[in-house]
Amino acid sequence: MTTDAILVVEDDEDLLDLMTMMLEAGGHHVAGARNGAEALEHIRAAGVPKLILLDMNMPVMNGYEFARRFRETYDRRAPIIVVTANPSARQAAAAIQADGWLGKPFQQKDLLQKVDEQTRPT
Amino acid sequence: MGVSRHETGGRANVTDAAFDSAPVAILIVDASGSITRANRCATELLGPLLDRCWSADPWFQQVVSLGHTVDRVEVAWNRDGTTLRLELSAAPCDPHGGVVTLRERPRVGLEERLRNIVDHAALVLFALDPAGMFLVSEGRGLEKLGLKPGQVVGLSVEDVYGNNPGLLAHARRALAGERHTAMDVIADTELAFETRWTPLLDPQGRVKAVVGVAVDITERRQAEAELQSSLEEVLAQRQLLEGAVSNIIDPVFIADAQGRLALANAAAFRLIDMPADEALGQTIVDIGARLRVRTPAGDPGDPAAFPLLRALAGETVREEDFVIETAHNGVRHLRLNAAPIRTGGRGVTASVAIARDLTEEIELERMKDELLLVVAHELRTPVAVMTGYCDLLAQSPLAEQPTAQRLIRGVTRGSERLRRRVDNIVVLAELLSGQLELAEEPVELDSLVEAVIADMTRDTARHQLRVVTQRATVCGDRERLGMVARALVDNAIKYTPAGGAIEVRVEVRGELAMLSVTDSGTGIPRRKQAAVFERFCHPRVGAEVDYGGLGIELYLARELITAHGGDIGVDSEEGRGSTFHVTLPVEGRVR
């Protein structure tokens, strides 16, 4: 089961709301999860999204653990973009073999551009 | 003066024979001093002196010329360089002249030798009768007491020692039969005598007399006192030094000329995790090996570089850092100072090193850097939220209302400034904690600079800004290079009065891409130019205007450009303006 929504996994409620609004303004359907465990639950219930925007440092289940379990179950059926304030964003992205990364803070245009790169029909 | 013998008849022959063979030396002398006869003994005794008797001794002359009688006077004549001690007797013999007899003086007897000692040694020899009366009082030692030999004979010990109770008590002990030795200081003087009191007992054990020998020990005692006081002084100084060393909180090590640990304080033994009896005497090289000495960079420590050993070679070592490791203390980071010790003009005889344990400081510093990094990252998310909402707000229908538009722009600018400050702090924290990471991607420097300036229209509106660019592609981190460009343009705006000219150029010269920002501002005094790239530098502090800022922007610019393999510098003339220039290798060219 797949959906055409973008799943934003972010523990900061304000940022989650903001990213949701930015993406919706860009014409995307958005679902939110506050940690890796919620995200896995959402995917199990609602299906694999077209793209996952993943924060790395989260309570309950962090981005690394989420990515490992997601890949185990769903292989590469959705691209993952790492979104983090950590200086090692690039390393984190490489560690989980993500498809892209975005450093915080970011502007709406940067976010939409990254999303477009991964969701544009090829 | 010749000597002749007269041969006169038979009786005379007997007399002559007796004269000749007499066991004393006999000379017959006439009034002029000529020896008219000398017997065999005289010839043997005097030898060549026989001819010089007249001039040899005044006694001889007196005897002969004045007709004195002399009985056994002692004379000493020189014969062939040795002293001939003689006993001379003479009698006049009418009409003039005389007969002189000479015999060698007997060797000096025991009594005489004792007399000699008593007369010449600095001692006092005395004897007391059982009632304490002085029988004898002799010796050169009396001079110092202002007494003449025999002066106190007939006086009692009470008379003589009355004002010296100690001495009187010593005398009474001896008179009571006790043999003892005592030291006395004479009242009102510094004179000191050591007296050996010896009672002489009769067969019934009663004291017959007391013999005392007092030796003047004044000088010896003074010398001993001086020695004692200088010894005490040396000991006190040594204790002071040892106390100072052992109470210094920092570890102190002293090496001897052979490079062995000669002395260290408790802090030092704790630091190297060795008990004193084990560490002292070991070579510094062995101790260094045991401590696994390393440089702060982690390289094995070369024993030749150990400060204590370099100090032994005469070098003064200042503020050098080493890392050691022991089982008990773990890894310790030390800063050492060492100096040679030169004693008594004999060159370097030892060396001393003081270590400061920086481990906690460095750990605190590291924690501070970590904290800064965490704080900076924690700030990023709320800043991202603010700027993001401003972004959305600006696009919403609300922004169509002119007043709202102004308000939104104000909030946007404020949040953008906050974002840039936070970005700067993040880069600073990454640099300080060694976690700076740079992307390596092709960056069109010209486009990047144009984009940065386009974002700054409000900031640049009050200046005459000229931008001249040509395509210059470098390899690096777009975001961080943008930060450098922004810092340089910001700096130019800050220090150039409104209406002043600012020129930004991007060009390629050979294999170098060049970014230069020229302002027409206040300029930087030459002596402060190098400092503008230092951390927390406000080169124009003291100027009438406070230009604000964190004082880290140009420092970060230098660090970022250096990390990209580039160079940054400034040319400036006070009052005329400054040019900051950055050079970076063009893409594909590694310098």
Side-chain angles (χ1 to χ4, degrees):
Chain A
M1 186 170 58
T2 58
T3 73
D4 72 340
I6 294 172
L7 178 60
V8 179
V9 191
E10 169 63 62
D11 65 316
D12 189 300
E13 297 253 7
D14 289 333
L15 200 56
L16 178 57
D17 280 353
L18 173 68
M19 288 171 77
T20 304
M21 283 179 74
M22 283 178 165
L23 292 167
E24 282 173 354
H28 298 281
H29 293 295
V30 182
R34 281 164 194 77
N35 59 59
E38 267 190 29
L40 285 174
E41 180 56 32
H42 174 85
I43 293 166
R44 198 182 59 76
V48 176
K50 67 175 177 182
L51 174 69
I52 299 169
L53 294 172
L54 180 65
D55 184 18
M56 297 311 288
N57 302 320
M58 292 177 294
V60 185
M61 184 191 291
N62 67 21
Y64 296 94
E65 183 62 15
F66 165 80
R68 192 180 65 75
R69 295 202 189 182
F70 176 74
R71 297 278 199 232
E72 264 174 21
T73 314
Y74 305 99
D75 192 26
R76 303 191 67 84
R77 283 166 56 193
I80 297 177
I81 294 176
V82 168
V83 183
T84 179
N86 201 292
S88 50
R90 241 185 313 270
Q91 283 179 332
I96 64 163
Q97 296 182 305
D99 301 275
W101 61 274
L102 186 63
K104 294 175 193 172
F106 49 81
Q107 290 186 317
Q108 186 187 24
K109 61 177 168 29
D110 299 329
L111 176 65
L112 292 178
Q113 190 191 332
K114 286 280 178 196
V115 168
D116 279 350
E117 281 170 13
Q118 298 299 329
T119 56
R120 196 180 297 138
T122 48
Chain B
M1 212 178 333
V3 176
S4 58
R5 292 182 183 171
H6 303 272
E7 305 287 336
T8 50
R11 191 166 158 232
N13 279 350
V14 175
T15 314
D16 283 350
F19 173 78
D20 224 20
S21 57
V24 281
I26 303 172
L27 305 171
I28 310 292
V29 187
D30 68 13
S32 70
S34 295
I35 294 172
T36 52
R37 287 196 68 178
N39 68 353
R40 189 188 305 133
C41 187
T43 315
E44 285 168 4
L45 179 64
L46 298 175
L49 257 179
L50 206 52
D51 289 338
R52 301 203 302 274
C53 285
W54 180 262
S55 55
D57 195 277
W59 281 112
F60 198 86
Q61 295 171 19
Q62 281 185 14
V63 168
V64 173
S65 55
L66 302 175
H68 284 190
T69 298
V70 175
D71 183 24
R72 286 188 290 181
V73 298
E74 294 170 8
V75 297
W77 290 353
N78 190 321
R79 185 186 68 184
D80 302 334
T82 60
T83 303
L84 195 60
R85 293 182 182 281
L86 303 171
E87 207 172 72
L88 179 149
S89 301
C93 175
D94 284 334
H96 291 294
V99 59
V100 177
T101 63
L102 292 161
R103 69 179 85 218
E104 272 194 281
R105 267 177 70 191
R107 288 180 184 281
V108 178
L110 179 62
E111 187 190 343
E112 198 125 1
R113 270 188 279 168
L114 281 174
R115 162 66 60 189
N116 250 333
I117 293 167
V118 170
D119 284 350
H120 293 95
L123 53 77
V124 177
L125 182 65
F126 61 91
L128 304 173
D129 73 4
M133 196 78 80
F134 278 92
L135 300 171
V136 174
S137 170
E138 298 288 337
R140 199 162 62 82
L142 289 168
E143 286 173 17
K144 291 213 174 143
L145 297 170
L147 296 173
K148 292 193 171 59
Q151 190 179 336
V152 296
V153 170
L155 297 176
S156 71
V157 287
E158 283 82 4
D159 298 333
V160 177
Y161 299 154
N163 62 348
N164 196 331
L167 197 48
L168 193 57
H170 293 148
R172 285 181 174 150
R173 277 167 67 190
L175 288 166
E178 186 185 342
R179 173 199 292 264
H180 68 107
T181 302
M183 202 278 289
D184 298 286
V185 176
I186 307 305
D188 301 330
T189 70
E190 290 195 344
L191 293 174
F193 283 85
E194 188 178 78
T195 308
R196 180 139 187 90
W197 300 86
T198 309
L200 304 177
L201 306 177
D202 67 10
Q204 285 72 43
R206 288 173 304 209
V207 175
K208 283 196 302 184
V210 167
V211 175
V213 181
V215 182
D216 182 359
I217 57 165
T218 311
E219 285 178 15
R220 193 181 87 197
R221 205 161 149 270
Q222 278 169 356
E224 279 173 1
E226 279 166 22
L227 188 66
Q228 183 65 29
S229 99
S230 46
L231 196 65
E232 276 165 13
E233 203 173 308
V234 167
L235 279 173
Q237 280 182 1
R238 193 193 155 99
Q239 279 173 354
L240 181 71
L241 277 178
E242 285 183 352
V245 168
S246 61
N247 285 301
I248 290 174
I249 291 169
D250 287 330
V252 177
F253 301 90
I254 294 174
D256 64 16
Q258 284 73 47
R260 292 173 187 280
L261 186 64
L263 184 66
N265 63 1
F269 295 123
R270 272 199 304 277
L271 177 71
I272 63 174
D273 196 14
M274 287 172 85
D277 52 1
E278 194 184 321
L280 293 175
Q282 281 215 36
T283 65
I284 302 305
V285 172
D286 286 347
I287 292 174
R290 185 187 163 122
L291 297 176
R292 285 185 263 170
V293 174
R294 302 195 301 272
T295 65
D299 300 324
D302 174 10
F306 290 175
L308 268 176
L309 300 183
R310 279 156 61 196
L312 275 182
E315 186 186 347
T316 298
V317 181
R318 289 192 178 87
E319 305 277 296
E320 286 197 18
D321 290 5
F322 293 88
V323 177
I324 64 167
E325 191 174 350
T326 67
H328 187 257
N329 298 327
V331 174
R332 310 304 294 181
H333 194 113
L334 307 179
R335 179 159 296 166
L336 275 98
N337 284 289
I341 299 175
R342 296 184 167 86
T343 46
R346 286 186 290 146
V348 179
T349 53
S351 63
V352 58
I354 298 186
R356 198 146 54 84
D357 190 342
L358 298 181
T359 314
E360 272 76 30
E361 273 174 58
I362 285 173
E363 178 61 14
L364 265 178
E365 189 77 11
R366 196 192 60 76
M367 284 170 66
K368 203 181 73 190
D369 292 345
E370 286 286 318
L371 178 70
L372 188 62
L373 194 61
V374 169
V375 167
H377 282 294
E378 280 304 308
L379 285 174
R380 271 191 153 174
T381 301
V383 167
V385 170
M386 275 172 62
T387 54
Y389 278 111
C390 287
D391 214 359
L392 288 181
L393 196 55
Q395 296 167 40
S396 72
L398 285 172
E400 286 163 18
Q401 209 267 338
T403 309
Q405 212 171 58
R406 277 187 68 190
L407 297 175
I408 292 166
R409 273 208 301 269
V411 175
T412 303
R413 275 198 307 277
S415 58
E416 276 299 317
R417 276 173 61 191
L418 184 59
R419 184 183 63 77
R420 284 197 300 275
R421 296 273 195 274
V422 170
D423 279 353
N424 278 337
I425 295 172
V426 167
V427 174
L428 175 69
E430 287 177 359
L431 273 170
L432 293 179
S433 58
Q435 296 185 40
L436 180 69
E437 280 184 34
L438 296 174
E440 290 177 21
E441 56 199 7
V443 178
E444 289 165 359
L445 193 59
D446 49 310
S447 309
L448 176 65
V449 168
E450 282 164 4
V452 164
I453 289 172
D455 254 4
M456 296 174 73
T457 45
R458 188 185 147 89
D459 305 288
T460 57
R462 297 167 69 218
H463 293 90
Q464 296 173 42
L465 184 68
R466 182 159 176 259
V467 183
V468 182
T469 61
Q470 69 179 111
R471 175 53 34 95
T473 307
V474 298
C475 178
D477 190 308
R478 162 179 289 277
E479 195 189 332
R480 302 289 160 75
L481 289 175
M483 203 183 262
V484 174
R486 171 99 203 191
L488 296 184
V489 176
D490 259 344
N491 185 69
I493 291 167
K494 207 191 282 185
Y495 293 106
T496 303
I502 295 172
E503 185 178 270
V504 181
R505 298 183 78 94
V506 177
E507 56 201 324
V508 176
R509 288 191 192 164
E511 295 184 346
L512 293 178
M514 215 169 156
L515 160 65
S516 59
V517 180
T518 303
D519 64 50
S520 52
T522 50
I524 308 162
R526 180 166 294 277
R527 64 196 158 80
K528 290 188 177 173
Q529 285 178 12
V532 298
F533 297 109
E534 295 306 318
R535 210 191 311 172
F536 306 121
C537 170
H538 293 266
R540 288 157 243 202
V541 159
E544 287 161 17
V545 188
D546 177 9
Y547 294 97
L550 295 176
I552 59 171
E553 295 82 356
L554 291 178
Y555 162 74
L556 295 179
R558 183 188 69 185
E559 293 300 308
L560 288 171
I561 292 303
T562 307
H564 276 88
D567 278 322
I568 190 168
V570 62
D571 294 320
S572 183
E573 197 178 329
E574 217 175 341
R576 313 261 324 238
S578 311
T579 298
F580 284 81
H581 39 78
V582 167
T583 53
L584 288 164
V586 295
E587 201 207 359
R589 310 285 180 175
V590 179
R591 291 174 89 186

